[in-house]
PDB file of all heavy atoms in Angstrom:
ATOM      1  N   THR A 161     144.670 110.087  39.877  1.00 96.00           N
ATOM      2  CA  THR A 161     144.063 111.011  40.721  1.00 96.00           C
ATOM      3  C   THR A 161     144.693 111.323  42.064  1.00 96.00           C
ATOM      4  O   THR A 161     145.157 110.408  42.581  1.00 96.00           O
ATOM      5  CB  THR A 161     142.517 110.688  40.768  1.00 96.00           C
ATOM      6  OG1 THR A 161     141.889 110.604  39.518  1.00 96.00           O
ATOM      7  CG2 THR A 161     141.886 111.829  41.643  1.00 96.00           C
ATOM      8  N   VAL A 162     144.708 112.520  42.377  1.00 97.00           N
ATOM      9  CA  VAL A 162     145.182 113.013  43.681  1.00 97.00           C
ATOM     10  C   VAL A 162     144.156 113.624  44.507  1.00 97.00           C
ATOM     11  O   VAL A 162     143.403 114.517  43.763  1.00 97.00           O
ATOM     12  CB  VAL A 162     146.449 113.726  43.606  1.00 97.00           C
ATOM     13  CG1 VAL A 162     146.992 114.276  45.128  1.00 97.00           C
ATOM     14  CG2 VAL A 162     147.581 113.060  43.008  1.00 97.00           C
ATOM     15  N   LEU A 163     143.886 113.252  45.709  1.00 98.00           N
ATOM     16  CA  LEU A 163     142.836 113.909  46.453  1.00 98.00           C
ATOM     17  C   LEU A 163     143.307 114.624  47.620  1.00 98.00           C
ATOM     18  O   LEU A 163     144.466 114.358  48.152  1.00 98.00           O
ATOM     19  CB  LEU A 163     141.878 112.755  46.959  1.00 98.00           C
ATOM     20  CG  LEU A 163     141.217 111.935  46.042  1.00 98.00           C
ATOM     21  CD1 LEU A 163     140.490 110.779  46.722  1.00 98.00           C
ATOM     22  CD2 LEU A 163     140.408 112.775  45.088  1.00 98.00           C
ATOM     23  N   LEU A 164     142.672 115.710  48.087  1.00 98.00           N
ATOM     24  CA  LEU A 164     143.074 116.382  49.346  1.00 98.00           C
ATOM     25  C   LEU A 164     141.753 116.616  50.135  1.00 98.00           C
ATOM     26  O   LEU A 164     140.916 117.215  49.872  1.00 98.00           O
ATOM     27  CB  LEU A 164     143.561 117.723  49.081  1.00 98.00           C
ATOM     28  CG  LEU A 164     144.051 118.647  50.175  1.00 98.00           C
ATOM     29  CD1 LEU A 164     145.208 117.887  50.969  1.00 98.00           C
ATOM     30  CD2 LEU A 164     144.323 120.025  49.883  1.00 98.00           C
ATOM     31  N   GLN A 165     141.652 115.685  51.196  1.00 98.00           N
ATOM     32  CA  GLN A 165     140.548 115.853  52.002  1.00 98.00           C
ATOM     33  C   GLN A 165     140.757 116.843  53.095  1.00 98.00           C
ATOM     34  O   GLN A 165     141.770 116.660  53.897  1.00 98.00           O
ATOM     35  CB  GLN A 165     140.275 114.307  52.785  1.00 98.00           C
ATOM     36  CG  GLN A 165     139.163 114.277  53.697  1.00 98.00           C
ATOM     37  CD  GLN A 165     137.671 114.555  53.114  1.00 98.00           C
ATOM     38  OE1 GLN A 165     137.544 113.962  52.066  1.00 98.00           O
ATOM     39  NE2 GLN A 165     136.936 115.457  53.614  1.00 98.00           N
ATOM     40  N   MET A 166     139.989 117.755  53.217  1.00 98.00           N
ATOM     41  CA  MET A 166     140.173 118.824  54.172  1.00 98.00           C
ATOM     42  C   MET A 166     139.065 118.941  55.210  1.00 98.00           C
ATOM     43  O   MET A 166     137.698 118.994  54.916  1.00 98.00           O
ATOM     44  CB  MET A 166     140.070 120.251  53.385  1.00 98.00           C
ATOM     45  CG  MET A 166     141.129 120.285  52.407  1.00 98.00           C
ATOM     46  SD  MET A 166     141.186 121.825  51.515  1.00 98.00           S
ATOM     47  CE  MET A 166     139.640 121.922  50.641  1.00 98.00           C
ATOM     48  N   ASN A 167     139.302 118.746  56.434  1.00 98.00           N
ATOM     49  CA  ASN A 167     138.420 118.679  57.559  1.00 98.00           C
ATOM     50  C   ASN A 167     138.610 119.877  58.564  1.00 98.00           C
ATOM     51  O   ASN A 167     139.627 120.433  58.494  1.00 98.00           O
ATOM     52  CB  ASN A 167     138.461 117.366  58.368  1.00 98.00           C
ATOM     53  CG  ASN A 167     138.153 116.280  57.483  1.00 98.00           C
ATOM     54  OD1 ASN A 167     137.314 116.274  56.518  1.00 98.00           O
ATOM     55  ND2 ASN A 167     138.890 115.089  57.702  1.00 98.00           N
ATOM     56  N   SER A 168     137.631 120.136  59.397  1.00 98.00           N
ATOM     57  CA  SER A 168     137.922 121.191  60.386  1.00 98.00           C
ATOM     58  C   SER A 168     138.406 122.458  59.772  1.00 98.00           C
ATOM     59  O   SER A 168     139.217 123.096  60.250  1.00 98.00           O
ATOM     60  CB  SER A 168     138.759 120.691  61.461  1.00 98.00           C
ATOM     61  OG  SER A 168     138.314 119.522  61.982  1.00 98.00           O
ATOM     62  N   LEU A 169     137.736 122.814  58.671  1.00 98.00           N
ATOM     63  CA  LEU A 169     138.168 124.063  57.909  1.00 98.00           C
ATOM     64  C   LEU A 169     138.166 125.338  58.685  1.00 98.00           C
ATOM     65  O   LEU A 169     137.142 125.467  59.473  1.00 98.00           O
ATOM     66  CB  LEU A 169     137.545 124.091  56.616  1.00 98.00           C
ATOM     67  CG  LEU A 169     137.920 123.125  55.523  1.00 98.00           C
ATOM     68  CD1 LEU A 169     136.829 123.002  54.413  1.00 98.00           C
ATOM     69  CD2 LEU A 169     139.352 123.520  54.951  1.00 98.00           C
ATOM     70  N   LYS A 170     139.047 126.204  58.409  1.00 98.00           N
ATOM     71  CA  LYS A 170     139.079 127.392  59.137  1.00 98.00           C
ATOM     72  C   LYS A 170     139.040 128.582  58.136  1.00 98.00           C
ATOM     73  O   LYS A 170     139.355 128.374  56.919  1.00 98.00           O
ATOM     74  CB  LYS A 170     140.373 127.677  59.933  1.00 98.00           C
ATOM     75  CG  LYS A 170     140.651 126.513  60.919  1.00 98.00           C
ATOM     76  CD  LYS A 170     141.979 126.640  61.521  1.00 98.00           C
ATOM     77  CE  LYS A 170     142.301 125.582  62.585  1.00 98.00           C
ATOM     78  NZ  LYS A 170     143.595 125.682  63.197  1.00 98.00           N
ATOM     79  N   PRO A 171     138.682 129.781  58.417  1.00 97.00           N
ATOM     80  CA  PRO A 171     138.711 130.946  57.528  1.00 97.00           C
ATOM     81  C   PRO A 171     140.224 131.194  56.864  1.00 97.00           C
ATOM     82  O   PRO A 171     140.219 131.487  55.709  1.00 97.00           O
ATOM     83  CB  PRO A 171     138.301 132.082  58.333  1.00 97.00           C
ATOM     84  CG  PRO A 171     137.341 131.596  59.414  1.00 97.00           C
ATOM     85  CD  PRO A 171     138.025 130.156  59.635  1.00 97.00           C
ATOM     86  N   ASP A 172     141.175 130.777  57.644  1.00 97.00           N
ATOM     87  CA  ASP A 172     142.465 131.077  57.133  1.00 97.00           C
ATOM     88  C   ASP A 172     142.838 130.060  56.069  1.00 97.00           C
ATOM     89  O   ASP A 172     143.899 130.250  55.439  1.00 97.00           O
ATOM     90  CB  ASP A 172     143.496 130.822  58.269  1.00 97.00           C
ATOM     91  CG  ASP A 172     143.549 132.100  59.260  1.00 97.00           C
ATOM     92  OD1 ASP A 172     143.017 133.119  58.833  1.00 97.00           O
ATOM     93  OD2 ASP A 172     144.239 131.937  60.269  1.00 97.00           O
ATOM     94  N   ASP A 173     141.955 129.033  55.906  1.00 98.00           N
ATOM     95  CA  ASP A 173     142.163 128.073  54.783  1.00 98.00           C
ATOM     96  C   ASP A 173     141.730 128.550  53.438  1.00 98.00           C
ATOM     97  O   ASP A 173     141.955 127.936  52.340  1.00 98.00           O
ATOM     98  CB  ASP A 173     141.520 126.739  55.094  1.00 98.00           C
ATOM     99  CG  ASP A 173     142.135 125.922  56.129  1.00 98.00           C
ATOM    100  OD1 ASP A 173     143.357 126.006  56.472  1.00 98.00           O
ATOM    101  OD2 ASP A 173     141.365 125.393  57.077  1.00 98.00           O
ATOM    102  N   THR A 174     141.005 129.680  53.476  1.00 98.00           N
ATOM    103  CA  THR A 174     140.528 130.243  52.270  1.00 98.00           C
ATOM    104  C   THR A 174     141.596 130.606  51.343  1.00 98.00           C
ATOM    105  O   THR A 174     142.617 131.385  51.639  1.00 98.00           O
ATOM    106  CB  THR A 174     139.774 131.446  52.451  1.00 98.00           C
ATOM    107  OG1 THR A 174     138.560 131.257  53.235  1.00 98.00           O
ATOM    108  CG2 THR A 174     139.246 132.185  51.188  1.00 98.00           C
ATOM    109  N   ALA A 175     141.657 130.001  50.047  1.00 98.00           N
ATOM    110  CA  ALA A 175     142.653 130.223  49.115  1.00 98.00           C
ATOM    111  C   ALA A 175     142.276 129.745  47.825  1.00 98.00           C
ATOM    112  O   ALA A 175     141.305 128.892  47.777  1.00 98.00           O
ATOM    113  CB  ALA A 175     144.090 129.803  49.626  1.00 98.00           C
ATOM    114  N   VAL A 176     143.053 129.858  46.701  1.00 98.00           N
ATOM    115  CA  VAL A 176     143.042 129.021  45.603  1.00 98.00           C
ATOM    116  C   VAL A 176     144.062 127.959  45.605  1.00 98.00           C
ATOM    117  O   VAL A 176     145.184 128.145  46.017  1.00 98.00           O
ATOM    118  CB  VAL A 176     143.415 129.811  44.186  1.00 98.00           C
ATOM    119  CG1 VAL A 176     143.408 128.928  43.051  1.00 98.00           C
ATOM    120  CG2 VAL A 176     142.420 131.025  44.124  1.00 98.00           C
ATOM    121  N   TYR A 177     143.542 126.753  45.446  1.00 98.00           N
ATOM    122  CA  TYR A 177     144.295 125.553  45.766  1.00 98.00           C
ATOM    123  C   TYR A 177     144.702 124.969  44.434  1.00 98.00           C
ATOM    124  O   TYR A 177     143.932 124.820  43.478  1.00 98.00           O
ATOM    125  CB  TYR A 177     143.445 124.475  46.472  1.00 98.00           C
ATOM    126  CG  TYR A 177     143.384 124.608  47.991  1.00 98.00           C
ATOM    127  CD1 TYR A 177     142.649 125.879  48.469  1.00 98.00           C
ATOM    128  CD2 TYR A 177     144.074 123.938  48.951  1.00 98.00           C
ATOM    129  CE1 TYR A 177     142.541 126.120  49.940  1.00 98.00           C
ATOM    130  CE2 TYR A 177     144.061 124.235  50.282  1.00 98.00           C
ATOM    131  CZ  TYR A 177     143.234 125.409  50.773  1.00 98.00           C
ATOM    132  OH  TYR A 177     143.230 125.599  52.099  1.00 98.00           O
ATOM    133  N   TYR A 178     146.064 124.731  44.388  1.00 98.00           N
ATOM    134  CA  TYR A 178     146.678 124.200  43.112  1.00 98.00           C
ATOM    135  C   TYR A 178     147.196 122.780  43.315  1.00 98.00           C
ATOM    136  O   TYR A 178     147.933 122.419  44.318  1.00 98.00           O
ATOM    137  CB  TYR A 178     147.813 125.086  42.640  1.00 98.00           C
ATOM    138  CG  TYR A 178     147.350 126.525  42.344  1.00 98.00           C
ATOM    139  CD1 TYR A 178     147.305 127.509  43.362  1.00 98.00           C
ATOM    140  CD2 TYR A 178     147.018 126.992  40.984  1.00 98.00           C
ATOM    141  CE1 TYR A 178     147.021 128.903  43.064  1.00 98.00           C
ATOM    142  CE2 TYR A 178     146.652 128.140  40.849  1.00 98.00           C
ATOM    143  CZ  TYR A 178     146.564 129.100  41.756  1.00 98.00           C
ATOM    144  OH  TYR A 178     146.208 130.388  41.511  1.00 98.00           O
ATOM    145  N   CYS A 179     147.034 121.889  42.361  1.00 98.00           N
ATOM    146  CA  CYS A 179     147.658 120.650  42.138  1.00 98.00           C
ATOM    147  C   CYS A 179     148.806 120.793  41.401  1.00 98.00           C
ATOM    148  O   CYS A 179     148.975 121.389  40.337  1.00 98.00           O
ATOM    149  CB  CYS A 179     146.673 119.670  41.559  1.00 98.00           C
ATOM    150  SG  CYS A 179     147.304 117.985  41.399  1.00 98.00           S
ATOM    151  N   SER A 180     149.945 120.020  41.749  1.00 97.00           N
ATOM    152  CA  SER A 180     151.177 120.060  41.055  1.00 97.00           C
ATOM    153  C   SER A 180     151.866 118.742  41.029  1.00 97.00           C
ATOM    154  O   SER A 180     151.586 117.811  41.833  1.00 97.00           O
ATOM    155  CB  SER A 180     152.126 121.162  41.649  1.00 97.00           C
ATOM    156  OG  SER A 180     152.537 120.764  42.994  1.00 97.00           O
ATOM    157  N   ALA A 181     152.871 118.622  40.204  1.00 96.00           N
ATOM    158  CA  ALA A 181     153.425 117.258  40.011  1.00 96.00           C
ATOM    159  C   ALA A 181     154.810 117.478  39.609  1.00 96.00           C
ATOM    160  O   ALA A 181     155.189 118.605  38.959  1.00 96.00           O
ATOM    161  CB  ALA A 181     152.646 116.451  38.929  1.00 96.00           C
ATOM    162  N   GLY A 182     155.708 116.546  39.825  1.00 95.00           N
ATOM    163  CA  GLY A 182     157.089 116.629  39.475  1.00 95.00           C
ATOM    164  C   GLY A 182     157.871 115.300  39.736  1.00 95.00           C
ATOM    165  O   GLY A 182     157.355 114.550  40.306  1.00 95.00           O
ATOM    166  N   ARG A 183     159.096 115.403  39.229  1.00 93.00           N
ATOM    167  CA  ARG A 183     159.952 114.262  39.339  1.00 93.00           C
ATOM    168  C   ARG A 183     161.017 114.423  40.340  1.00 93.00           C
ATOM    169  O   ARG A 183     161.525 115.542  40.659  1.00 93.00           O
ATOM    170  CB  ARG A 183     160.794 113.993  38.085  1.00 93.00           C
ATOM    171  CG  ARG A 183     159.749 113.549  36.809  1.00 93.00           C
ATOM    172  CD  ARG A 183     160.505 113.485  35.589  1.00 93.00           C
ATOM    173  NE  ARG A 183     159.709 113.216  34.435  1.00 93.00           N
ATOM    174  CZ  ARG A 183     159.497 111.905  33.973  1.00 93.00           C
ATOM    175  NH1 ARG A 183     159.950 110.907  34.790  1.00 93.00           N
ATOM    176  NH2 ARG A 183     158.755 111.647  33.023  1.00 93.00           N
ATOM    177  N   ARG A 184     161.136 113.388  41.283  1.00 91.00           N
ATOM    178  CA  ARG A 184     162.125 113.439  42.343  1.00 91.00           C
ATOM    179  C   ARG A 184     163.588 113.253  41.504  1.00 91.00           C
ATOM    180  O   ARG A 184     163.803 112.482  40.693  1.00 91.00           O
ATOM    181  CB  ARG A 184     161.993 112.225  43.135  1.00 91.00           C
ATOM    182  CG  ARG A 184     162.974 112.111  44.436  1.00 91.00           C
ATOM    183  CD  ARG A 184     162.730 111.082  45.320  1.00 91.00           C
ATOM    184  NE  ARG A 184     161.410 111.232  45.890  1.00 91.00           N
ATOM    185  CZ  ARG A 184     161.131 111.992  46.950  1.00 91.00           C
ATOM    186  NH1 ARG A 184     162.050 112.643  47.460  1.00 91.00           N
ATOM    187  NH2 ARG A 184     159.923 111.986  47.484  1.00 91.00           N
ATOM    188  N   ARG A 185     164.398 114.237  42.080  1.00 89.00           N
ATOM    189  CA  ARG A 185     165.780 114.208  41.524  1.00 89.00           C
ATOM    190  C   ARG A 185     166.710 113.360  42.291  1.00 89.00           C
ATOM    191  O   ARG A 185     166.411 112.790  43.395  1.00 89.00           O
ATOM    192  CB  ARG A 185     166.391 115.628  41.578  1.00 89.00           C
ATOM    193  CG  ARG A 185     165.338 116.700  40.969  1.00 89.00           C
ATOM    194  CD  ARG A 185     164.855 116.240  39.514  1.00 89.00           C
ATOM    195  NE  ARG A 185     165.735 115.888  38.483  1.00 89.00           N
ATOM    196  CZ  ARG A 185     166.299 116.776  37.704  1.00 89.00           C
ATOM    197  NH1 ARG A 185     165.882 117.932  37.555  1.00 89.00           N
ATOM    198  NH2 ARG A 185     167.153 116.296  36.912  1.00 89.00           N
ATOM    199  N   ALA A 186     167.935 113.170  41.699  1.00 84.00           N
ATOM    200  CA  ALA A 186     168.910 112.162  42.262  1.00 84.00           C
ATOM    201  C   ALA A 186     169.238 112.637  43.738  1.00 84.00           C
ATOM    202  O   ALA A 186     169.606 111.611  44.539  1.00 84.00           O
ATOM    203  CB  ALA A 186     170.067 112.084  41.359  1.00 84.00           C
ATOM    204  N   TRP A 187     169.296 113.852  44.055  1.00 85.00           N
ATOM    205  CA  TRP A 187     169.699 114.343  45.278  1.00 85.00           C
ATOM    206  C   TRP A 187     168.531 114.243  46.365  1.00 85.00           C
ATOM    207  O   TRP A 187     168.814 114.673  47.534  1.00 85.00           O
ATOM    208  CB  TRP A 187     170.248 115.730  45.333  1.00 85.00           C
ATOM    209  CG  TRP A 187     169.336 116.733  44.585  1.00 85.00           C
ATOM    210  CD1 TRP A 187     168.345 117.568  45.266  1.00 85.00           C
ATOM    211  CD2 TRP A 187     169.341 117.019  43.237  1.00 85.00           C
ATOM    212  NE1 TRP A 187     167.807 118.330  44.259  1.00 85.00           N
ATOM    213  CE2 TRP A 187     168.351 118.074  43.003  1.00 85.00           C
ATOM    214  CE3 TRP A 187     170.129 116.669  42.123  1.00 85.00           C
ATOM    215  CZ2 TRP A 187     167.981 118.645  41.794  1.00 85.00           C
ATOM    216  CZ3 TRP A 187     169.814 117.134  40.860  1.00 85.00           C
ATOM    217  CH2 TRP A 187     168.900 118.212  40.705  1.00 85.00           C
ATOM    218  N   GLY A 188     167.318 113.848  45.924  1.00 83.00           N
ATOM    219  CA  GLY A 188     166.379 113.624  46.887  1.00 83.00           C
ATOM    220  C   GLY A 188     165.227 114.667  46.895  1.00 83.00           C
ATOM    221  O   GLY A 188     164.245 114.354  47.593  1.00 83.00           O
ATOM    222  N   SER A 189     165.361 115.700  46.148  1.00 89.00           N
ATOM    223  CA  SER A 189     164.279 116.755  46.198  1.00 89.00           C
ATOM    224  C   SER A 189     163.540 116.634  44.894  1.00 89.00           C
ATOM    225  O   SER A 189     163.938 116.087  43.924  1.00 89.00           O
ATOM    226  CB  SER A 189     164.918 118.193  46.235  1.00 89.00           C
ATOM    227  OG  SER A 189     165.701 118.371  45.142  1.00 89.00           O
ATOM    228  N   THR A 190     162.235 117.131  44.986  1.00 91.00           N
ATOM    229  CA  THR A 190     161.266 117.062  43.883  1.00 91.00           C
ATOM    230  C   THR A 190     161.135 118.401  43.322  1.00 91.00           C
ATOM    231  O   THR A 190     160.771 119.495  43.912  1.00 91.00           O
ATOM    232  CB  THR A 190     159.994 116.506  44.303  1.00 91.00           C
ATOM    233  OG1 THR A 190     160.055 115.212  44.870  1.00 91.00           O
ATOM    234  CG2 THR A 190     158.953 116.332  43.154  1.00 91.00           C
ATOM    235  N   VAL A 191     161.241 118.529  42.016  1.00 92.00           N
ATOM    236  CA  VAL A 191     160.899 119.683  41.241  1.00 92.00           C
ATOM    237  C   VAL A 191     159.475 119.729  40.675  1.00 92.00           C
ATOM    238  O   VAL A 191     159.253 118.834  39.832  1.00 92.00           O
ATOM    239  CB  VAL A 191     161.931 119.960  40.079  1.00 92.00           C
ATOM    240  CG1 VAL A 191     161.721 121.253  39.374  1.00 92.00           C
ATOM    241  CG2 VAL A 191     163.266 119.989  40.523  1.00 92.00           C
ATOM    242  N   TYR A 192     158.599 120.603  41.236  1.00 93.00           N
ATOM    243  CA  TYR A 192     157.279 120.564  40.709  1.00 93.00           C
ATOM    244  C   TYR A 192     156.991 121.501  39.686  1.00 93.00           C
ATOM    245  O   TYR A 192     156.923 122.721  39.866  1.00 93.00           O
ATOM    246  CB  TYR A 192     156.437 120.953  42.034  1.00 93.00           C
ATOM    247  CG  TYR A 192     156.321 119.878  43.109  1.00 93.00           C
ATOM    248  CD1 TYR A 192     157.091 120.133  44.330  1.00 93.00           C
ATOM    249  CD2 TYR A 192     155.692 118.662  43.077  1.00 93.00           C
ATOM    250  CE1 TYR A 192     157.056 119.217  45.348  1.00 93.00           C
ATOM    251  CE2 TYR A 192     155.625 117.924  44.019  1.00 93.00           C
ATOM    252  CZ  TYR A 192     156.348 118.001  45.144  1.00 93.00           C
ATOM    253  OH  TYR A 192     156.362 117.166  46.134  1.00 93.00           O
ATOM    254  N   ASN A 193     157.008 120.989  38.535  1.00 93.00           N
ATOM    255  CA  ASN A 193     157.029 121.883  37.264  1.00 93.00           C
ATOM    256  C   ASN A 193     155.672 121.696  36.458  1.00 93.00           C
ATOM    257  O   ASN A 193     155.668 122.254  35.317  1.00 93.00           O
ATOM    258  CB  ASN A 193     158.280 121.567  36.394  1.00 93.00           C
ATOM    259  CG  ASN A 193     158.376 120.046  36.134  1.00 93.00           C
ATOM    260  OD1 ASN A 193     157.727 119.197  36.573  1.00 93.00           O
ATOM    261  ND2 ASN A 193     159.399 119.773  35.222  1.00 93.00           N
ATOM    262  N   TYR A 194     154.846 120.880  37.027  1.00 95.00           N
ATOM    263  CA  TYR A 194     153.486 120.919  36.312  1.00 95.00           C
ATOM    264  C   TYR A 194     152.435 121.419  37.283  1.00 95.00           C
ATOM    265  O   TYR A 194     152.517 121.118  38.497  1.00 95.00           O
ATOM    266  CB  TYR A 194     153.248 119.305  35.965  1.00 95.00           C
ATOM    267  CG  TYR A 194     154.099 118.720  35.070  1.00 95.00           C
ATOM    268  CD1 TYR A 194     154.957 117.879  35.455  1.00 95.00           C
ATOM    269  CD2 TYR A 194     154.045 119.066  33.658  1.00 95.00           C
ATOM    270  CE1 TYR A 194     155.955 117.253  34.679  1.00 95.00           C
ATOM    271  CE2 TYR A 194     155.059 118.404  32.911  1.00 95.00           C
ATOM    272  CZ  TYR A 194     155.859 117.537  33.254  1.00 95.00           C
ATOM    273  OH  TYR A 194     156.852 116.836  32.340  1.00 95.00           O
ATOM    274  N   TRP A 195     151.622 122.127  36.715  1.00 96.00           N
ATOM    275  CA  TRP A 195     150.663 122.778  37.610  1.00 96.00           C
ATOM    276  C   TRP A 195     149.182 122.751  36.911  1.00 96.00           C
ATOM    277  O   TRP A 195     149.026 123.031  35.740  1.00 96.00           O
ATOM    278  CB  TRP A 195     150.970 124.321  37.805  1.00 96.00           C
ATOM    279  CG  TRP A 195     152.300 124.375  38.669  1.00 96.00           C
ATOM    280  CD1 TRP A 195     153.426 124.435  38.187  1.00 96.00           C
ATOM    281  CD2 TRP A 195     152.364 124.544  40.060  1.00 96.00           C
ATOM    282  NE1 TRP A 195     154.435 124.511  39.170  1.00 96.00           N
ATOM    283  CE2 TRP A 195     153.774 124.695  40.359  1.00 96.00           C
ATOM    284  CE3 TRP A 195     151.426 124.708  41.027  1.00 96.00           C
ATOM    285  CZ2 TRP A 195     154.265 124.752  41.594  1.00 96.00           C
ATOM    286  CZ3 TRP A 195     151.984 124.803  42.332  1.00 96.00           C
ATOM    287  CH2 TRP A 195     153.241 124.793  42.610  1.00 96.00           C
ATOM    288  N   GLY A 196     148.070 122.729  37.776  1.00 97.00           N
ATOM    289  CA  GLY A 196     146.790 122.894  37.307  1.00 97.00           C
ATOM    290  C   GLY A 196     146.428 124.264  37.442  1.00 97.00           C
ATOM    291  O   GLY A 196     147.173 125.179  37.819  1.00 97.00           O
ATOM    292  N   GLN A 197     145.142 124.657  37.009  1.00 97.00           N
ATOM    293  CA  GLN A 197     144.680 126.096  36.915  1.00 97.00           C
ATOM    294  C   GLN A 197     144.199 126.556  38.326  1.00 97.00           C
ATOM    295  O   GLN A 197     143.967 127.726  38.572  1.00 97.00           O
ATOM    296  CB  GLN A 197     143.505 126.163  36.036  1.00 97.00           C
ATOM    297  CG  GLN A 197     144.010 125.759  34.467  1.00 97.00           C
ATOM    298  CD  GLN A 197     145.087 126.829  34.035  1.00 97.00           C
ATOM    299  OE1 GLN A 197     144.842 128.102  34.240  1.00 97.00           O
ATOM    300  NE2 GLN A 197     146.078 126.315  33.739  1.00 97.00           N
ATOM    301  N   GLY A 198     143.919 125.584  39.218  1.00 97.00           N
ATOM    302  CA  GLY A 198     143.560 126.038  40.620  1.00 97.00           C
ATOM    303  C   GLY A 198     142.039 125.891  40.840  1.00 97.00           C
ATOM    304  O   GLY A 198     141.116 125.966  39.880  1.00 97.00           O
ATOM    305  N   THR A 199     141.485 125.699  42.003  1.00 98.00           N
ATOM    306  CA  THR A 199     140.112 125.841  42.445  1.00 98.00           C
ATOM    307  C   THR A 199     140.013 126.545  43.718  1.00 98.00           C
ATOM    308  O   THR A 199     140.756 126.459  44.670  1.00 98.00           O
ATOM    309  CB  THR A 199     139.750 124.300  42.469  1.00 98.00           C
ATOM    310  OG1 THR A 199     138.215 124.354  42.898  1.00 98.00           O
ATOM    311  CG2 THR A 199     140.384 123.533  43.654  1.00 98.00           C
ATOM    312  N   GLN A 200     138.981 127.400  43.735  1.00 98.00           N
ATOM    313  CA  GLN A 200     138.782 128.322  44.887  1.00 98.00           C
ATOM    314  C   GLN A 200     138.195 127.563  46.006  1.00 98.00           C
ATOM    315  O   GLN A 200     137.051 126.937  45.899  1.00 98.00           O
ATOM    316  CB  GLN A 200     137.885 129.519  44.400  1.00 98.00           C
ATOM    317  CG  GLN A 200     137.517 130.450  45.537  1.00 98.00           C
ATOM    318  CD  GLN A 200     138.706 131.253  46.036  1.00 98.00           C
ATOM    319  OE1 GLN A 200     139.507 131.773  45.276  1.00 98.00           O
ATOM    320  NE2 GLN A 200     138.998 131.273  47.304  1.00 98.00           N
ATOM    321  N   VAL A 201     138.695 127.821  47.168  1.00 98.00           N
ATOM    322  CA  VAL A 201     137.966 127.252  48.527  1.00 98.00           C
ATOM    323  C   VAL A 201     137.831 128.481  49.351  1.00 98.00           C
ATOM    324  O   VAL A 201     138.781 129.274  49.642  1.00 98.00           O
ATOM    325  CB  VAL A 201     139.037 126.248  49.202  1.00 98.00           C
ATOM    326  CG1 VAL A 201     138.463 125.933  50.577  1.00 98.00           C
ATOM    327  CG2 VAL A 201     139.129 124.917  48.269  1.00 98.00           C
ATOM    328  N   THR A 202     136.546 128.671  49.750  1.00 98.00           N
ATOM    329  CA  THR A 202     136.305 129.880  50.590  1.00 98.00           C
ATOM    330  C   THR A 202     135.535 129.203  51.865  1.00 98.00           C
ATOM    331  O   THR A 202     134.642 128.537  51.778  1.00 98.00           O
ATOM    332  CB  THR A 202     135.222 130.743  49.963  1.00 98.00           C
ATOM    333  OG1 THR A 202     135.949 131.263  48.818  1.00 98.00           O
ATOM    334  CG2 THR A 202     134.903 131.871  50.850  1.00 98.00           C
ATOM    335  N   VAL A 203     136.234 129.572  52.994  1.00 98.00           N
ATOM    336  CA  VAL A 203     135.694 129.076  54.322  1.00 98.00           C
ATOM    337  C   VAL A 203     135.069 130.403  54.988  1.00 98.00           C
ATOM    338  O   VAL A 203     135.906 131.228  55.439  1.00 98.00           O
ATOM    339  CB  VAL A 203     136.744 128.465  55.066  1.00 98.00           C
ATOM    340  CG1 VAL A 203     136.124 127.935  56.455  1.00 98.00           C
ATOM    341  CG2 VAL A 203     137.401 127.313  54.370  1.00 98.00           C
TER     342      VAL A 203
END
């Protein structure tokens, strides 16, 4: 499980939030190629 604790929320934080996952490549960057369906956050 991955968590995102959000405090002091602002109206600008309103969005659909997506969880993603990926493997780190040999050159040091991560390719995020797995995605969830998203969850709506409204401030």
Side-chain angles (χ1 to χ4, degrees):
T161 299
V162 177
L163 303 177
L164 184 68
Q165 179 65 48
M166 305 184 294
N167 299 324
S168 302
L169 284 163
K170 307 174 180 179
D172 285 347
D173 295 321
T174 296
V176 177
Y177 283 71
Y178 298 91
C179 178
S180 65
R183 295 179 182 268
R184 183 176 298 276
R185 309 314 303 268
W187 53 88
S189 63
T190 300
V191 178
Y192 295 102
N193 54 354
Y194 301 105
W195 295 86
Q197 295 300 306
T199 184
Q200 176 70 49
V201 172
T202 302
V203 184

